[in-house]
Amino acid sequence: GAGVSQTPSNKVTEKGKYVELRCDPISGHTALYWYRQSLGQGPEFLIYFQGTGAADDSGLPNDRFFAVRPEGSVSTLKIQRTERGDSAVYLCASSFAGAGGPYEQYFGPGTRLTVT
Amino acid sequence: AQSVTQPDIHITVSEGASLELRCNYSYGATPYLFWYVQSPGQGLQLLLKYFSGDTLVQGIKGFEAEFKRSQSSFNLRKPSVHWSDAAEYFCAVGANAGNMLTFGGGTRLMVKP
């Protein structure tokens, strides 16, 4: 079956602009995660959705970052007033959730964001 | 809060040699432990996981890892490395089922012919 997909694969934007990054999880996975991976580092957690609601958004660095998952499937990560420090690879992952777990997370290929 | 340390940033081994990548974690209860591999320009692929039970777990591509509670370690091993194993390897710990993962900084593996 299809894996986690992310679009665009690359995004170049100017400082101060608004960007949206999209994640399409594996069908049937109710849990969805966003991570950010800076150059030479491991991924860092941003936010976790269970269904349509954000169950844990403790990793969002500030209020310029926001994510939604309105129908419990596709999710969009939104970054306002981008800064050069936001440049990174943004990874999305999905998993089953609930009784019978724990379950492993499956990752998409990521979106490389470059803020100039 | 949990944390993961991968002490080796870079490791170089000869093709056919054995491999061990170190991972130490910090977490107050029994953790869920994972090893992922990332090739250039690719997403993270799960190699293996430990949830409970047998502390020696087998994964894909001939990898195995051993959970040692007394040492807070989950080292990854492979008896004979292939050139295609060259990649970045990440150890991760999860606190609860379905919850966020905390990753180590990664170990970059290079394989000499």
Side-chain angles (χ1 to χ4, degrees):
Chain A
V4 178
S5 62
Q6 293 186 246
T7 54
S9 55
N10 282 283
K11 177 71 177 178
V12 180
T13 191
E14 293 179 347
K15 179 177 177 296
K17 299 290 189 182
Y18 167 83
V19 296
E20 290 188 350
L21 311 179
R22 175 189 167 107
C23 172
D24 201 338
I26 292 171
S27 178
H29 282 186
T30 58
L32 185 146
Y33 309 78
W34 284 99
Y35 294 84
R36 179 168 71 173
Q37 185 175 21
S38 300
L39 192 62
Q41 298 182 21
E44 294 178 307
F45 169 76
L46 295 176
I47 186 169
Y48 155 53
F49 286 90
Q50 178 58 264
T52 60
D56 184 349
D57 64 358
S58 61
L60 294 177
N62 51 60
D63 61 6
R64 295 187 297 106
F65 288 75
F66 189 70
V68 296
R69 195 185 185 200
E71 298 178 356
S73 179
V74 170
S75 176
T76 304
L77 179 65
K78 308 180 181 199
I79 310 175
Q80 298 177 322
R81 305 183 303 280
T82 51
E83 300 178 356
R84 292 193 180 88
D86 299 335
S87 296
V89 175
Y90 289 81
L91 296 167
C92 177
S94 70
S95 75
F96 289 112
Y103 303 100
E104 61 257 34
Q105 297 177 23
Y106 294 85
F107 283 80
T111 294
R112 181 176 299 278
L113 175 66
T114 304
V115 182
T116 62
Chain B
Q2 62 262 35
S3 66
V4 177
T5 301
Q6 294 180 246
D8 304 304
I9 298 174
H10 292 100
I11 282 186
T12 300
V13 299
S14 297
E15 190 167 18
S18 63
L19 171 70
E20 182 169 31
L21 302 183
R22 296 184 291 165
C23 172
N24 293 97
Y25 68 89
S26 173
Y27 181 61
T30 300
Y32 302 122
L33 295 162
F34 306 82
W35 275 99
Y36 284 87
V37 61
Q38 187 176 41
S39 298
Q42 303 293 312
L44 293 161
Q45 181 183 22
L46 180 69
L47 286 176
L48 46 77
K49 62 185 183 286
Y50 172 78
F51 289 161
S52 65
D54 193 345
T55 56
L56 183 64
V57 293
Q58 303 296 321
I60 63 171
K61 305 184 179 185
F63 285 93
E64 67 177 27
E66 187 170 13
F67 169 54
K68 293 185 177 180
R69 183 189 303 275
S70 62
Q71 298 177 20
S72 298
S73 69
F74 189 56
N75 294 349
L76 182 71
R77 300 193 294 251
K78 185 169 185 177
S80 177
V81 170
H82 188 262
W83 63 267
S84 61
D85 293 325
E88 185 109 26
Y89 291 80
F90 292 96
C91 181
V93 62
N96 299 297
N99 246 344
M100 66 173 201
L101 297 179
T102 298
F103 286 84
T107 298
R108 179 165 297 280
L109 173 65
M110 294 169 51
V111 180
K112 293 190 300 184

